[in-house]
Amino acid sequence: MSFQEEITFIYGVEYGQVMKDNFKYDLGLVNGKVYINGSFVAVDIYIKDQVISEIVPQGTELPCENIVSCISKLIMPGFIDPHVHINLDLGEFRSADDYESASKAAAFGGITTFIDFLDPIINVDEFENRFAQKMKEAKDSYIDYSFHTTVGNFDDDVDKLVAISRANGIPSIKMFTTYSESNRKISKEKLQEFMKNSSKTSTLILVHAENDYMILNAEVDDTLEQYERSRPAEAEILEIEKLVRIVKDIPGKLYIVHVTCGSSINLIKEECKELIGKNIFIESCPQYFHLTKDLFEQDNGNLFLLAPPLRSADEQQKLKENISSIQTIGTDHCPFTKEEKMRYKVASKIPKGLGSLEYSFSLMYHLFGEEIIDKFTINPAKIHNLYPKKGVIQKDSDADFVIFSPDKTLMIDSGHSRTDYSPYEDMLINGLIESTVRRGEFIVKNRKLVAKTNGQFIER
Ligand SMILES: [Zn+2]
């Protein structure tokens, strides 16, 4: 008797049938509309061992442990926030969210991966310590995470730092063109060295672009009313002009974080439209699309303070007109409590930063609809080396999903972050994120937290 005949004899069924009955997918998401290649299609998704195992026509019933029906819902890839600050230490203040609370808020906002920043370093030797510190903090995360290496006034071997950073799964280095007063401003020579390295290694060079000289020499009072003029739109536009010149000369990969002004993007388009999406990547944040600098003049203006500042309605309008030239939306999430924000009247003493993680996608979807999806999924995944593990619904990718009801609405409140307010409070938003799945496990299910902190460091 052959092996197969023996099996058939024992079980009374065909060998193949026995194998099939024993095999079960872990999770099936059926009857929803699934975002694949830029549009929504009617397919079912089956998940096994944390990854997408099968995508099949609707109605194909596969053996599965847990089937979830998603009728009248949209299923998108889990969102990626490439710019968050968690546990940021500012001396007198520390940002309100640790990994537990930030990742919970993120999960309610459909974000399944975020990228935080290591604290700035001046020498290569400091890297190990900064990396170990963040890895320790991030153990409490509900969602997957990665980091960007950050340099201050870096004074060491650029190639060596990039090599060590990449060896630890971090192919991105963040730097500042301002904050010389706290020794965080990168020199022009070092910035060029990083760009040169980037042109060879494709390492992403993230730049906070504001002109240091203009900020240091701004003739304004240290008040909320004049805060925007202390770091004006022109400071961003001028610095971006300088960066564009560097990239035209040295074609590395420049990623400009938190662009606040439509004029900055118009300038890049005039100078080198063809480099956008190839050598120049533009990130903006929901706050610059929804809030304007007039808010600083309200009695509670402190609550809206951040750096770079909110801009005029005119700049905001230009930013909206340029949405198609923006590749990614990051939040720059860095909330503080009301009491902390309101403690001082002098602008320079107020902790700068807002919380947006939980409402980032909703705020942008409300303004732009489906056009915004790629900026939260495939674009950040590709630009930040997470693709095709993240950012896309296809076979073998991580089973990260957002289950979304486009017909429901959401009223914004302080949410799940550890701060006690939201700058968008009481806004009524179209669309509701119902559930979030991270590597095949529901973190949020029907607006309830149902998972344990099980996030992983993702090597990029
Ligand atoms: Zn930031």
Side-chain angles (χ1 to χ4, degrees):
M1 203 184 267
S2 74
F3 176 64
Q4 187 168 342
E5 282 168 334
E6 203 170 78
I7 294 283
T8 307
F9 177 72
I10 294 166
Y11 290 98
V13 286
E14 289 297 317
Y15 174 62
Q17 190 63 44
V18 173
M19 288 300 289
K20 206 177 161 193
D21 285 351
N22 283 340
F23 183 87
K24 278 194 170 163
Y25 293 96
D26 303 328
L27 174 67
L29 300 177
V30 303
N31 300 328
K33 286 192 174 154
V34 182
Y35 191 75
I36 295 175
N37 290 333
S39 61
F40 285 95
V41 290
V43 291
D44 293 343
I45 308 167
Y46 286 89
I47 292 128
K48 180 79 181 163
D49 298 333
Q50 307 186 23
V51 300
I52 299 168
S53 186
E54 294 290 344
I55 299 172
V56 294
Q58 268 178 7
T60 316
E61 283 178 27
L62 298 180
C64 189
E65 203 68 39
N66 180 19
I67 296 268
V68 175
S69 178
C70 303
I71 290 174
S72 75
K73 289 178 184 148
L74 303 180
I75 302 177
M76 295 175 266
F79 303 142
I80 298 163
D81 189 334
H83 188 154
V84 300
H85 300 279
I86 301 170
N87 258 329
L88 187 74
D89 187 0
L90 297 179
E92 180 179 354
F93 300 100
R94 178 180 283 271
S95 64
D97 279 322
D98 60 13
Y99 269 85
E100 199 270 333
S101 60
S103 63
K104 193 194 297 176
F108 276 91
I111 294 164
T112 52
T113 307
F114 53 23
I115 314 181
D116 189 6
F117 295 82
L118 304 187
D119 283 343
I121 57 175
I122 306 294
N123 304 307
V124 175
D125 291 347
E126 295 171 289
F127 173 85
E128 206 177 319
N129 231 320
R130 300 292 198 276
F131 182 53
Q133 178 203 326
K134 274 291 172 192
M135 284 296 268
K136 202 170 139 197
E137 290 173 17
K139 282 205 169 68
D140 296 329
S141 182
Y142 287 97
I143 68 169
D144 289 345
Y145 50 87
S146 177
F147 315 112
H148 303 292
T149 294
T150 309
V151 292
N153 183 12
F154 189 70
D155 191 22
D156 205 343
D157 190 327
V158 164
D159 293 342
K160 211 167 147 190
L161 178 66
V162 171
I164 286 177
S165 185
R166 293 187 74 101
N168 284 281
I170 306 179
S172 51
I173 315 276
K174 155 96 176 282
M175 52 204 69
F176 306 88
T177 62
T178 185
Y179 299 128
S180 56
E181 74 283 4
S182 54
N183 204 32
R184 277 186 288 166
K185 179 182 180 289
I186 192 88
S187 69
K188 191 184 173 192
E189 294 69 34
K190 281 293 174 195
L191 199 154
Q192 285 170 321
E193 272 184 53
F194 275 109
M195 202 56 72
K196 222 169 270 172
N197 178 294
S198 169
S199 70
K200 290 179 223 143
T201 63
S202 284
T203 299
L204 199 62
I205 305 302
L206 280 65
V207 181
H208 172 131
E210 285 184 291
N211 188 265
D212 196 53
Y213 183 85
M214 278 183 81
I215 293 170
L216 289 178
N217 292 284
E219 283 181 18
V220 294
D221 298 334
D222 192 2
T223 61
L224 274 167
E225 290 74 24
Q226 299 197 18
Y227 173 67
E228 196 270 340
R229 283 170 53 209
S230 73
R231 337 178 59 93
E234 292 73 28
E236 175 181 290
I237 298 163
L238 176 62
E239 199 61 36
I240 287 182
E241 193 178 359
K242 288 164 78 177
L243 287 167
V244 163
R245 250 179 274 145
I246 292 176
V247 180
K248 279 170 121 177
D249 192 33
I250 314 168
K253 282 188 170 179
L254 169 72
Y255 180 96
I256 311 171
V257 297
H258 54 48
V259 173
T260 66
C261 300
S263 295
S264 301
I265 301 175
N266 285 337
L267 178 130
I268 300 171
K269 282 160 74 178
E270 280 157 29
E271 290 289 319
C272 53
K273 199 167 192 254
E274 69 285 358
L275 297 186
I276 299 175
K278 289 197 182 79
N279 295 93
I280 299 177
F281 302 95
I282 302 169
E283 175 197 273
S284 190
C285 318
Q287 51 269 35
Y288 301 116
F289 289 89
H290 276 275
L291 312 172
T292 58
K293 65 175 184 171
D294 312 327
L295 289 164
F296 296 148
E297 290 174 32
Q298 293 183 5
D299 290 343
N300 65 351
N302 299 46
L303 298 181
F304 300 92
L305 214 68
L306 80 169
L310 302 172
R311 300 301 181 195
S312 65
D314 179 49
E315 279 300 344
Q316 183 177 78
Q317 183 52 34
K318 287 186 199 159
L319 193 65
K320 287 179 184 169
E321 287 162 11
N322 275 303
I323 187 68
S324 64
S325 297
I326 295 168
Q327 282 71 55
T328 64
I329 302 296
T331 52
D332 204 2
H333 184 80
C334 190
F336 297 88
T337 64
K338 254 185 197 170
E339 185 281 318
E340 289 169 329
K341 289 293 248 189
M342 299 301 287
R343 197 178 297 172
Y344 296 106
K345 280 203 160 67
V346 180
S348 60
K349 289 190 122 186
I350 300 166
K352 316 286 186 305
L354 304 178
S356 295
L357 259 174
E358 185 159 350
Y359 302 113
S360 175
F361 178 82
S362 299
L363 287 163
M364 297 304 286
Y365 181 84
H366 185 75
L367 288 179
F368 299 104
E370 290 171 12
E371 185 188 354
I372 213 70
I373 300 170
D374 287 350
K375 302 178 202 304
F376 284 84
T377 55
I378 195 164
N379 292 359
K382 284 187 170 171
I383 293 166
H384 295 282
N385 272 32
L386 288 160
Y387 181 86
K389 185 176 171 63
K390 304 286 189 189
V392 64
I393 296 179
Q394 67 182 38
K395 202 166 154 28
D396 297 330
S397 292
D398 277 2
D400 297 339
F401 306 103
V402 179
I403 302 175
F404 185 74
S405 285
D407 303 329
K408 294 189 183 169
T409 54
L410 164 76
M411 178 69 90
I412 294 189
D413 58 22
S414 63
H416 297 83
S417 164
R418 223 164 261 151
T419 179
D420 51 356
Y421 80 101
S422 164
Y424 316 101
E425 221 152 285
D426 297 336
M427 265 186 74
L428 189 65
I429 295 281
N430 298 327
L432 183 68
I433 292 162
E434 305 256 13
S435 303
T436 305
V437 178
R438 185 255 300 114
R439 282 181 282 104
E441 183 186 4
F442 277 89
I443 320 176
V444 172
K445 195 170 189 184
N446 301 323
R447 306 291 299 157
K448 284 199 185 71
L449 186 74
V450 292
K452 294 207 169 69
T453 54
N454 215 356
Q456 283 178 1
F457 174 66
I458 306 293
E459 279 191 40
R460 298 186 284 128

